[in-house]
């Protein structure tokens, strides 16, 4: 079963990466064009996002009808529903990084296949940020 889960995850990742490449979302200029609402606005990302929301909505509706997932013992639904300071701060940092670089994590990892230096730098910085977050969030031993 672990190999089947790994194969399913790899196939899903491949499908996601191919979809990003086909839609042009690996090009940071296209993303920045979407964010340039006062200039030469490019609506492509809005169409891609609408398709992603529709597919996600259908998948979630289907999953909620199932007793358990096919390749796991139970669903791992989110339990936190509160909007707190950490969520807002994370969203702001994500938005700033996305607007400045034109990349968010998924497309950046997929764009690594092209080997461009800006993508490599972005992914390296993202990994450093993730490690720093994990280190800062680690519970400290009590004295």
């Amino acid at each position: 079963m672990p190999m089947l889960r790994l194969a399913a995850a790899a196939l899903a990742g491949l499908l996601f990466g191919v979809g990003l490449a086909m839609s042009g979302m690996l090009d940071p200029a296209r993303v920045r064009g979407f964010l340039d609402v006062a200039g030469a606005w490019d609506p492509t990302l809005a169409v891609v996002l609408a398709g992603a929301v529709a597919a996600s909505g259908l998948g979630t509706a289907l999953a909620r009808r199932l007793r358990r997932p096919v390749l796991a013992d139970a669903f791992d639904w989110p339990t936190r529903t509160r909007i707190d300071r950490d969520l807002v701060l994370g969203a702001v940092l994500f938005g700033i990084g996305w607007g400045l670089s034109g990349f968010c994590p998924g497309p950046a990892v997929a764009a690594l296949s092209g080997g461009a230096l800006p993508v490599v730098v972005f992914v390296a910085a993202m990994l450093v940020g993730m490690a720093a977050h994990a280190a800062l969030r680690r519970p400290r031993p009590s004295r």
Side-chain angles (χ1 to χ4, degrees), residues 33-129:
F34 170 75
L35 297 173
D36 186 11
V37 293
W41 185 65
D42 180 353
T44 306
L45 180 57
V47 174
V48 172
L49 287 173
V53 168
S56 178
L58 289 172
T60 300
L62 173 64
R64 292 214 181 264
R65 293 176 172 261
L66 301 174
R67 267 192 215 118
R68 69 178 203 79
V70 176
L71 298 177
D73 295 329
F75 287 105
D76 189 15
W77 299 112
T79 56
R80 291 182 60 187
T81 58
R82 197 169 57 93
I83 297 174
D84 59 10
R85 181 185 60 96
D86 289 347
L87 177 65
V88 172
L89 181 60
V92 168
L93 288 173
F94 178 90
I96 290 170
W98 189 40
L100 290 174
S101 69
F103 285 116
C104 65
V109 170
L112 279 174
S113 62
L117 184 60
V119 179
V120 173
V121 170
F122 176 86
V123 171
M126 179 178 73
L127 293 173
V128 168

